[in-house]
Amino acid sequence: MSNLQIRMADAIRHLSMDAVQQANSGHPGMPMGMADIAVALWGEHLKHNPNDPLWINRDRFVLSNGHGSMLLYSLLHLSGYDLPIEELKKFRQLHSKTPGHPEYGITPGVETTTGPLGQGIANAVGMALAEKLLAEEFNRPGHKIVDHYTYAFLGDGCLMEGISHEVCSLAGTLQLNKLIAFWDDNGISIDGKVISWFNEDTPKRFEAYHWNVLRDIDGHDAEAVSAAIAKAKKSDKPSLICCKTAIGKGSPNMAGSDKVHGSPLGAAEIAETRLALNWPYPPFEIPQDIYAAWDFKKRGQAAEHEWHEEFQEYKTQYPELASELQRRMQGDLPEDFSTTLKSYLETCQTKAETIATRKASQNAIEALAPALPEFMGGSADLTGSNLTNWSSCKPVRSNQWGNHINYGVREFGMSAIMNGIALHGGYIPFGGTFLTFSDYSRNALRMAALMKLRSIFVFTHDSIGLGEDGPTHQAVEHVASLRLIPNLMVWRPCDTTESAVAWGAAIKRKNGPSALIFSRQNCPFVTRNNQQIQDIARGGYVLRESQFGKIDAVIIATGSEIALALQTAEQLEKNGLGIRVVSMPSTTVFDQQDSAYKAKVLPANIPRIAVEAGVSDFWWKYGCAAVHGVDTFGESAPAPQLYEYFGLTVDQISKTAKQCIANK
């Protein structure tokens, strides 16, 4: 390892410890320990362009152990990204470009938001999978237009998280050979030496996953790490490079201990570290020769220029493919998509089918998929129940391009891999499982919302309506809890028309994820006029108006309970009461409407009764006089018996409505 490489690594160490010290908060140990690995990867192998962080064919770098964010910020600053030293000085401060953990969309060059351990490597699997599929779809003989690697740094914490097992197993099965991960094997976590709670044979574990494992690499020898990367690139499997390191490398008194993991070193230890590393510069000062050694702007621009020249040749030979790749990487929909969606909505009105909304969802996929070559479906081993496949889809296999992924029983892994696919670009991912298992996916849903990704989460078997499988599978609190996630658009449609609108809204949405909630049981088709069909997209609308020119009460419902609300309105009107039924397939969208529209749909001073087969607490925010819901876990029985048992019947709701009207 050359003296220059040592000094390049030391620049990372000092920037990291200085920024953490100034913030009086952060994790200096990992950046100091992995600095030499970063020199090998970023200095010798990583293909990127600081002048164009969104270059299509760049290598992707994921810092799965995101608490060591100063490593990444140092690399971005030193190599020439738009991240000036002033931003490093504002580490962890309000509105800086250097938040405590890397955040996608905040800092140029950050490929994904990391911090919740294990999700970074999961995102990396999604990115590598997207690269492989796009390469198979678009590359042609003599033209490797899509040809890049995905690299991930990860620590013991990532490997302890269960999601790492899910995604790394699938990566090996699919032979994602352009995925290269670096394990920071320092034997330390927050609580101390991990040997007492993490003593598995990690290399054997990854060999069992069918990974290419490079053992016992000296993580403080950049040349040894670089040689390992070169070997990994030749493998037909994903690679794990096992790097032996000392956490906090360079600190005379704290290196190798948990003391340096998540706390500032302190002024005295930083001074001793400077002396030990022969670094005579004050905080945040980097000598020009080190900046010059790290600067990647010219090399990155040259690499991208070379790719653009090749792309122009490709474009000449394959103009349609070139245009299609550019469109998809920009996230734009085909020009005829809106026409296709409109046509399918008309078909829904003509067929007027009474079917389960999970089947209505599949029908929408079947109709829209031919117009969306970027559609990438999948399911967590429930394809036949979630109905996320379509007649022309092809399964993704290690040796076969496809557009439907069998994720296996890996709900969390599926969701985080979908996020990686969305981050990479080129595909719109969607994946399904039962709604009750959204709990397994929860943090990946939150990360999708935080990053504003176009991931579409399909959840079926949405309530006690699934019946005999019982309370373990009957979602009660889940819809309400999903609605609480900021920027997650949640839809629970009631029939084929609302299902089509929900799918259209999710596909068109570029700045956030969607959760589409569907029933197992059949839901009657509802006839609507053109205005009502248009208003579905507003999240809530008047589905049935009072027949008497007066409104005595408003019943609000969603999904499978819409039929119940309509039947209740008919019964009450036989008693001379005027009932408006409001369908609210997306409360998250309805809440974004202007106050005039919301007041028009839900007029003031009229009793409101909400009906949904889930927890009731959520609905009180709409000023309801009463809520019919399910505030306990379910039971195992046929669905009709369960609705009777939990009071979700026409008679019970009618009784409640009469009481509310009388008490007005």
Side-chain angles (χ1 to χ4, degrees):
M1 186 168 173
S2 70
N3 183 62
L4 179 60
Q5 289 175 316
I6 293 171
R7 294 180 69 223
M8 290 171 69
D10 286 346
I12 294 172
R13 293 186 173 100
H14 286 86
L15 284 174
S16 298
M17 68 181 186
D18 288 341
V20 171
Q21 182 68 23
Q22 179 148 312
N24 196 29
S25 173
H27 302 75
M30 185 280 269
M32 297 174 74
M34 296 195 79
D36 302 299
I37 305 171
V39 169
L41 176 60
W42 283 65
E44 301 292 334
H45 294 275
L46 192 72
K47 179 176 63 178
H48 64 115
N49 184 4
N51 298 298
D52 184 6
L54 299 180
W55 171 30
I56 290 175
N57 202 43
R58 70 191 182 279
D59 290 337
R60 270 63 170 179
F61 175 76
V62 174
L63 192 75
S64 190
N65 41 358
H67 55 272
S69 56
M70 268 310 304
L71 172 68
L72 181 52
Y73 300 148
S74 298
L75 288 165
L76 294 172
H77 168 71
L78 291 167
S79 60
Y81 285 80
D82 183 17
L83 193 66
I85 196 69
E86 288 75 18
E87 292 293 339
L88 274 63
K89 292 178 181 178
K90 294 189 291 183
F91 178 54
R92 289 186 162 227
Q93 304 308 301
L94 185 64
H95 302 315
S96 76
K97 291 184 179 181
T98 51
H101 291 82
E103 292 189 37
Y104 174 75
I106 299 295
T107 314
V110 170
E111 298 284 3
T112 181
T113 300
T114 55
L117 294 176
Q119 285 197 66
I121 184 62
N123 296 161
V125 170
M127 294 174 187
L129 178 56
E131 191 276 343
K132 177 178 175 129
L133 294 174
L134 283 171
E136 291 172 352
E137 190 174 357
F138 285 96
N139 288 351
R140 291 296 181 269
H143 293 287
K144 286 190 174 183
I145 295 303
V146 180
D147 182 19
H148 52 266
Y149 287 85
T150 301
Y151 298 99
F153 280 9
L154 64 160
D156 292 322
C158 292
L159 295 179
M160 282 187 261
E161 287 285 359
I163 190 173
S164 71
H165 297 262
E166 296 183 26
V167 301
C168 293
S169 169
L170 186 60
T173 301
L174 295 177
Q175 292 183 274
L176 302 181
N177 65 304
K178 287 190 175 179
L179 173 62
I180 300 176
F182 301 79
W183 171 31
D184 182 24
D185 182 13
N186 61 33
I188 296 292
S189 69
I190 293 174
D191 283 355
K193 295 181 179 180
V194 301
I195 191 67
S196 298
W197 50 86
F198 184 60
N199 68 345
E200 67 185 37
D201 190 331
T202 297
K204 282 187 178 179
R205 169 185 156 191
F206 274 78
E207 286 170 352
Y209 291 154
H210 304 292
W211 281 53
N212 170 45
V213 178
L214 294 96
R215 297 168 175 254
D216 299 322
I217 305 300
D218 183 352
H220 298 305
D221 184 342
E223 292 176 354
V225 175
S226 182
I229 297 171
K231 288 182 181 178
K233 287 182 175 180
K234 296 176 182 178
S235 177
D236 60 355
K237 302 175 182 179
S239 293
L240 179 70
I241 301 177
C242 305
C243 300
K244 293 285 186 180
T245 65
I247 189 171
K249 171 74 171 176
S251 170
N253 303 302
M254 295 183 180
S257 75
D258 58 281
K259 294 179 181 179
V260 76
H261 173 87
S263 301
L265 272 65
E269 184 66 14
I270 286 177
E272 288 195 44
T273 302
R274 278 188 159 78
L275 286 173
L277 296 179
N278 191 26
W279 191 264
Y281 312 103
F284 299 105
E285 183 176 313
I286 304 296
Q288 287 304 311
D289 66 321
I290 299 301
Y291 270 124
W294 270 115
D295 190 2
F296 207 82
K297 286 184 287 187
K298 288 184 179 179
R299 285 184 286 172
Q301 194 144 354
E304 183 171 355
H305 178 73
E306 182 180 349
W307 178 84
H308 274 293
E309 287 187 336
E310 183 179 354
F311 186 75
Q312 288 305 313
E313 294 180 14
Y314 175 82
K315 192 173 184 179
T316 299
Q317 286 188 253
Y318 307 101
E320 292 182 1
L321 282 175
S323 177
E324 176 70 1
L325 178 61
Q326 288 180 310
R327 176 190 71 78
R328 285 165 55 171
M329 292 301 293
Q330 290 166 359
D332 298 330
L333 294 176
E335 292 182 1
D336 61 349
F337 175 74
S338 293
T339 301
T340 301
L341 177 60
K342 181 180 179 181
S343 176
Y344 177 63
L345 279 167
E346 293 171 354
T347 299
C348 290
Q349 308 313 302
T350 302
K351 289 188 173 182
E353 295 176 294
T354 291
I355 54 178
T357 53
R358 63 171 174 160
K359 181 60 179 176
S361 168
Q362 186 180 44
N363 290 350
I365 295 169
E366 183 72 36
L368 301 177
L372 288 171
E374 57 263 57
F375 239 14
M376 182 60 63
S379 176
D381 204 49
L382 288 168
T383 301
S385 296
N386 301 145
L387 304 182
T388 52
N389 58 342
W390 62 102
S391 60
S392 62
C393 72
K394 296 180 180 179
V396 172
R397 298 292 183 261
S398 63
N399 60 351
Q400 171 184 292
W401 179 88
N403 51 6
H404 187 275
I405 303 168
N406 297 108
Y407 287 98
V409 187
R410 300 180 175 101
E411 294 90 355
F412 191 8
M414 172 184 72
S415 302
I417 288 171
M418 285 168 53
N419 289 345
I421 293 171
L423 284 160
H424 182 279
Y427 294 106
I428 299 175
F430 66 92
T433 187
F434 289 170
L435 177 57
T436 190
F437 301 140
S438 65
D439 285 339
Y440 286 148
S441 307
R442 178 84 181 195
N443 203 258
L445 270 67
R446 185 176 187 273
M447 296 298 284
L450 182 62
M451 289 188 273
K452 301 180 180 179
L453 303 181
R454 192 191 247 164
S455 297
I456 304 175
F457 303 98
V458 178
F459 298 118
T460 67
H461 297 59
D462 67 349
S463 66
I464 59 171
L466 74 88
E468 294 85 344
D469 276 343
T472 60
H473 285 55
Q474 291 167 7
V476 174
E477 73 276 23
H478 298 78
V479 177
S481 69
L482 292 176
R483 290 170 177 150
L484 295 176
I485 300 177
N487 202 44
L488 177 64
M489 186 172 69
V490 181
W491 288 86
R492 188 174 184 246
C494 75
D495 67 354
T496 56
T497 302
E498 285 191 359
S499 296
V501 172
W503 264 109
I507 291 166
K508 290 180 178 179
R509 190 175 191 229
K510 293 181 70 172
N511 65 340
S514 302
L516 308 184
I517 317 295
F518 300 113
S519 73
R520 179 196 183 198
Q521 72 271 34
N522 286 346
C523 295
F525 177 81
V526 182
T527 301
R528 301 170 180 80
N529 59 38
N530 289 334
Q531 186 60 54
Q532 288 173 317
I533 293 173
Q534 292 178 31
D535 286 344
I536 295 172
R538 304 190 75 165
Y541 64 103
V542 178
L543 179 61
R544 182 190 189 278
E545 190 56 280
S546 164
Q547 303 301 302
F548 298 125
K550 64 170 184 172
I551 305 173
D552 292 305
V554 176
I555 299 177
I556 311 168
T558 76
S560 51
E561 286 68 69
I562 283 293
L564 191 57
L566 292 171
Q567 293 166 12
T568 301
E570 290 180 9
Q571 178 163 305
L572 289 170
E573 290 202 342
K574 290 178 182 178
N575 297 320
L577 297 174
I579 306 298
R580 169 182 285 187
V581 175
V582 170
S583 178
M584 203 174 288
S586 179
T587 62
T588 49
V589 175
F590 180 75
D591 290 349
Q592 295 170 7
Q593 304 305 306
D594 61 78
S595 57
Y597 178 78
K598 288 188 284 189
K600 181 180 177 182
V601 173
L602 300 175
N605 302 318
I606 296 175
R608 303 168 188 173
I609 300 98
V611 182
E612 187 174 59
V615 292
S616 62
D617 277 2
F618 172 84
W619 289 100
W620 296 108
K621 73 173 187 173
Y622 292 107
C624 292
V627 179
H628 271 264
V630 180
D631 288 318
T632 67
F633 292 116
E635 299 285 344
S636 181
Q641 293 180 24
L642 293 173
Y643 272 75
E644 181 79 27
Y645 177 78
F646 285 106
L648 292 168
T649 65
V650 170
D651 289 343
Q652 287 292 334
I653 300 169
S654 295
K655 181 180 178 181
T656 298
K658 290 176 183 177
Q659 291 174 343
C660 292
I661 293 169
N663 294 335
K664 178 181 175 183

